[in-house]
Amino acid sequence: AQTVTQSQPEMSVQEAETVTLSCTYDTSESDYYLFWYKQPPSRQMILVIRQEAYKQQNATENRFSVNFQKAAKSFSLKISDSQLGDAAMYFCAVDDKIIFGKGTRLHILP
Amino acid sequence: ETGVTQSPTHLIKTRGQQVTLRCSSQSGHNTVSWYQQALGQGPQFIFQYYREEENGRGNFPPRFSGLQFPNYSSELNVNALELDDSALYLCASSLSAGGSLDTQYFGPGTRLTVL
C-alpha cells in the first residue's frame, strides 16, 4: 500500500523568505509520480509541481522547486520568495490514484 | 479556475438518505476521479472512471457508486448516508486513465453535511 506522511501540520514564513515543506512516502512501485498540490481557503485544489520518479533531476516551477531523494523516499517542496498568495494547505501526493498526505498549512507573515 | 465544476456547493442530508453529487469535467477529459476530504484531512481516493467504466476503487463500501457520461459529466451516489460521510467531496478530471501522466484538474467541491 502506498502511504504519504507530512510531518509538519503547520508552518509559518515571513514574506519574501524561503520555506521548505517535508514529505515522505512509501510505495512498492518502481515507477511513479509525485505531486504537490495547493488548496487555498477557496478550496479548489491546484497542482503546484510534479516529479516523475525515474527522472533524477529535481522539478522546478518558477519559485517552487522540489528536493527528490528516491532512495530515502523523500519529496520536499521549497518555496522561494514567499508571497501572501502562497498561504494555503499544501498536500503531497503519490501516483495516479493520488494518495494524499494530511497536509501542511502554510501561513505567510507580512 | 480549473474548468471543472461541481454541484451543489453545499448539501445537508439526514442519516439513511441518499445523495447524488455532480461534476462537469473539462472538455475532452475522459477520466474523472472522486475524493472524500474530511475536515482537516487530505483527500481520500473513492474511485476513478475512464470512458464510462470504473477504473479503480479506494477503500470505500459499495454504497458509494458512480457514473460517468459521454458528455464529460459524472455523478457520485451515496446510499444509506452515515454521519461519517460528512465531508468535502472533490472530483478531478484528467486526459487519460493513467492519471500520473496527465495533470488532474480539481473542482471546487461539494460540502456534504449529514445530520
Side-chain angles (χ1 to χ4, degrees):
Chain A
Q2 295 168 326
T3 60
V4 178
T5 302
Q6 293 180 251
S7 59
Q8 305 150 316
E10 286 196 62
M11 292 191 73
S12 297
V13 63
Q14 290 289 143
E15 195 176 2
E17 296 293 308
T18 295
V19 64
T20 298
L21 309 184
S22 301
C23 173
T24 58
Y25 63 93
D26 192 18
T27 180
S28 57
E29 302 291 329
S30 57
D31 192 19
Y32 49 91
Y33 291 75
L34 295 157
F35 307 86
W36 278 99
Y37 281 88
K38 171 184 177 181
Q39 190 176 39
S42 65
R43 302 178 309 179
Q44 199 147 5
M45 192 92 68
I46 55 174
L47 179 67
V48 174
I49 198 166
R50 72 176 188 175
Q51 173 82 40
E52 295 161 277
Y54 68 87
K55 289 187 176 180
Q56 294 186 347
Q57 187 173 6
N58 289 325
T60 63
E61 287 287 342
N62 301 314
R63 298 183 295 108
F64 300 88
S65 61
V66 299
N67 182 5
F68 174 48
Q69 303 289 330
K70 189 172 184 179
K73 296 184 176 176
S74 170
F75 182 61
S76 60
L77 173 70
K78 185 171 83 171
I79 306 174
S80 304
D81 186 25
S82 297
Q83 301 175 359
L84 294 177
D86 295 334
M89 283 291 287
Y90 285 82
F91 293 99
C92 176
V94 63
D95 217 9
D96 68 336
K97 300 303 189 289
I98 307 284
I99 307 300
F100 285 88
K102 291 188 175 182
T104 296
R105 182 171 300 282
L106 179 63
H107 303 278
I108 310 295
L109 307 174
Chain B
E1 298 301 323
T2 64
V4 178
T5 59
Q6 291 185 244
S7 63
T9 304
H10 296 87
L11 199 54
I12 299 175
K13 292 286 189 177
T14 57
R15 195 170 47 183
Q17 285 189 311
Q18 178 267 342
V19 69
T20 297
L21 310 182
R22 294 180 173 82
C23 172
S24 179
S25 300
Q26 278 200 18
S27 180
H29 283 190
N30 55 24
T31 302
V32 64
S33 302
W34 284 90
Y35 298 87
Q36 180 194 68
Q37 186 177 17
L39 199 62
Q41 301 294 315
Q44 286 195 332
F45 175 72
I46 302 174
F47 44 57
Q48 183 183 80
Y49 277 78
Y50 169 64
R51 292 185 176 176
E52 303 164 49
E53 298 283 335
E54 188 176 293
N55 183 52
R57 189 178 184 91
N59 189 26
F60 280 81
R63 60 188 185 84
F64 285 78
S65 62
L67 285 172
Q68 185 186 26
F69 304 102
N71 66 350
Y72 310 118
S73 67
S74 61
E75 290 180 354
L76 165 65
N77 298 289
V78 187
N79 294 322
L81 282 167
E82 300 177 0
L83 298 179
D84 285 348
D85 295 336
S86 296
L88 181 68
Y89 288 85
L90 300 169
C91 74
S93 73
S94 57
L95 196 55
S96 71
S100 307
L101 305 177
D102 294 290
T103 299
Q104 292 203 23
Y105 294 87
F106 283 82
T110 294
R111 172 72 64 188
L112 173 65
T113 301
V114 182
L115 302 176

